[in-house]
Amino acid sequence: MNDEGTVSLVMFSGTDDKLQAAAVLAVGAAAMGRKVNVFLQYWGLDAFRADRILKDHGVSPEAGPDGEAAMRDQGKTHWSELFREAKDLGDVRIYACGDSMEMFHLTTDDLAPMVDGIWGVASFFMEADGPVTFI
Amino acid sequence: MNDEGTVSLVMFSGTDDKLQAAAVLAVGAAAMGRKVNVFLQYWGLDAFRADRILKDHGVSPEAGPDGEAAMRDQGKTHWSELFREAKDLGDVRIYACGDSMEMFHLTTDDLAPMVDGIWGVASFFMEADGPVTFI
Amino acid sequence: MNDEGTVSLVMFSGTDDKLQAAAVLAVGAAAMGRKVNVFLQYWGLDAFRADRILKDHGVSPEAGPDGEAAMRDQGKTHWSELFREAKDLGDVRIYACGDSMEMFHLTTDDLAPMVDGIWGVASFFMEADGPVTFI
């Protein structure tokens, strides 16, 4: 029933606060019946490495110690779990950017299993028929 | 006359330079007759607390001392005043993200009066029929 | 053949990693036949000064020394060259934000020749009939 197009999230940043915010947006968009494509680049891709996904990725510098404590204390679901819920809820795909894979010398085996594959930026824009949100 | 949809701004960041940039975009979009929804999350919400809105919120790390001085010296209208002007100019609404309210243990009374209410992320996407810009 | 509207990139950040990511998106969008408008604000505009464009602009704080090294080591095309390629490839325009020009006391002569002109934020939204991506 929704005709506003796919929500395309370019996940560039790799801090836990931005990953959490992106995951919350993905869940919300999926809950509203929107298709979501997540495109992992740079530090966002680095955070989705199988051996790092549950590690501490820091927060934005402006958080300050109080902000970081408030965020850590909330006992919220981890962002990786929220992305998993978004995928269960609707049509949510997560792709690694091929250029960034090369930059970090990664292969598909290095990534968390919830990553659906590797994309070039042209493929990303081929499906970007709605908002393109850079996080 | 404009049919490109609502401009949805996710105000995640809480530094004065990004808040100023977001406010300028809100004024510009409102001036062009576009509906604007601002959705306050994390450090962006923190900056809209009634007792902090006029405080110094720092700038992006890349500004450096010269950049920060150039920004501070310009004697420009404060971003909170620009958001107020945007609201006078057009259909601009500012909503606090319910999840972030919980994270910071805030109630509506803690927020600047220009905040119109509290939204969940699903409500946000219900009205997101245009660009979704994460700042 | 593409009717999803102009890709509008607000280039606010001035670090080399975000400029590189933006340039890659501009090339990809142009390759898919989309019109692209880049709007330079704040630290993004500062990075397009003729005398600074090839200087080191740092990277996002979350990169860490390993991340920065991986990025620097890749021997990739400089982002300014990628923007030039995007302009050769399709309809890609780069505009400086008038307000930010004033803030940094710049004139057109201070900017790299690939910048097409100066825009106000209202002009920017007049052409923003697709995604608006803040980087």
Side-chain angles (χ1 to χ4, degrees):
Chain A
M1 232 45 84
N2 187 300
D3 56 358
E4 321 300 354
T6 301
V7 174
S8 299
L9 300 179
V10 181
M11 191 73 236
F12 171 91
S13 301
T15 54
D16 283 325
D17 53 349
K18 289 199 175 167
L19 286 156
Q20 185 90 15
V24 167
L25 293 178
V27 170
M32 298 311 293
R34 297 190 61 165
K35 194 174 178 314
V36 179
N37 283 327
V38 182
F39 189 53
L40 305 173
Q41 288 189 321
Y42 285 76
W43 328 117
L45 174 60
D46 194 62
F48 272 84
R49 292 164 75 141
D51 60 343
R52 298 192 185 175
I53 194 162
L54 294 174
K55 295 264 170 73
D56 181 343
H57 299 90
V59 297
S60 302
E62 72 231 51
D66 289 359
E68 180 158 6
M71 199 193 114
R72 303 289 186 198
D73 282 0
Q74 62 181 332
K76 277 274 168 75
T77 314
H78 191 261
W79 54 262
S80 62
E81 187 52 36
L82 287 177
F83 275 118
R84 210 167 287 128
E85 286 174 17
K87 294 184 79 159
D88 288 344
L89 206 57
D91 187 358
V92 177
R93 313 265 171 92
I94 302 178
Y95 295 99
C97 167
D99 274 1
S100 294
M101 292 289 287
E102 243 180 77
M103 184 174 102
F104 291 124
H105 307 291
L106 297 178
T107 66
T108 312
D109 290 345
D110 297 314
L111 301 178
M114 85 174 84
V115 179
D116 295 290
I118 299 178
W119 258 9
V121 80
S123 309
F124 170 75
F125 272 109
M126 189 132 53
E127 296 216 5
D129 61 355
V132 177
T133 305
F134 187 94
I135 300 185
Chain B
M1 233 45 85
N2 188 300
D3 56 358
E4 321 300 354
T6 300
V7 174
S8 299
L9 300 179
V10 181
M11 190 74 236
F12 170 91
S13 301
T15 54
D16 284 324
D17 52 349
K18 290 200 175 166
L19 287 156
Q20 184 90 17
V24 167
L25 293 178
V27 170
M32 298 312 294
R34 298 191 60 165
K35 195 173 177 317
V36 179
N37 283 327
V38 181
F39 189 53
L40 305 174
Q41 287 190 323
Y42 286 75
W43 328 117
L45 174 61
D46 194 60
F48 272 83
R49 293 165 74 140
D51 60 343
R52 297 191 186 177
I53 194 162
L54 294 174
K55 294 265 171 72
D56 181 342
H57 299 90
V59 298
S60 302
E62 72 231 52
D66 289 359
E68 179 158 8
M71 199 193 114
R72 303 289 187 197
D73 281 359
Q74 60 180 334
K76 277 274 168 74
T77 314
H78 190 260
W79 54 262
S80 62
E81 188 51 36
L82 287 177
F83 275 119
R84 211 167 287 129
E85 286 175 17
K87 294 184 80 160
D88 288 344
L89 205 59
D91 188 358
V92 177
R93 313 266 171 92
I94 303 178
Y95 296 98
C97 167
D99 273 1
S100 295
M101 292 289 287
E102 243 180 76
M103 184 175 101
F104 291 124
H105 308 289
L106 298 178
T107 65
T108 313
D109 291 343
D110 297 313
L111 301 178
M114 83 173 87
V115 179
D116 295 289
I118 299 179
W119 258 8
V121 80
S123 309
F124 171 75
F125 272 109
M126 188 131 54
E127 297 215 5
D129 61 355
V132 177
T133 305
F134 187 94
I135 300 186
Chain C
M1 232 46 86
N2 188 301
D3 56 358
E4 321 301 353
T6 301
V7 174
S8 299
L9 300 179
V10 181
M11 191 73 237
F12 171 91
S13 302
T15 53
D16 283 326
D17 53 349
K18 290 201 176 165
L19 286 156
Q20 184 91 16
V24 166
L25 292 178
V27 169
M32 299 311 293
R34 297 190 63 164
K35 194 174 178 316
V36 179
N37 283 328
V38 182
F39 189 52
L40 305 174
Q41 289 190 321
Y42 285 76
W43 328 116
L45 174 61
D46 194 60
F48 272 83
R49 292 165 75 140
D51 59 343
R52 298 192 186 176
I53 194 162
L54 295 174
K55 296 263 170 73
D56 181 342
H57 299 89
V59 298
S60 302
E62 72 231 51
D66 288 0
E68 179 158 8
M71 199 192 115
R72 302 289 186 197
D73 281 358
Q74 61 181 332
K76 277 273 167 77
T77 313
H78 190 261
W79 54 262
S80 61
E81 187 53 35
L82 287 177
F83 275 119
R84 211 167 286 130
E85 286 175 17
K87 294 186 78 160
D88 287 346
L89 205 58
D91 187 359
V92 177
R93 312 266 171 93
I94 303 179
Y95 295 99
C97 167
D99 273 1
S100 295
M101 291 289 287
E102 242 179 77
M103 184 174 102
F104 291 125
H105 306 291
L106 297 178
T107 65
T108 314
D109 291 344
D110 297 313
L111 301 178
M114 85 173 84
V115 180
D116 295 290
I118 300 178
W119 258 8
V121 80
S123 308
F124 171 75
F125 272 109
M126 189 134 50
E127 297 216 3
D129 60 355
V132 177
T133 305
F134 187 95
I135 300 185

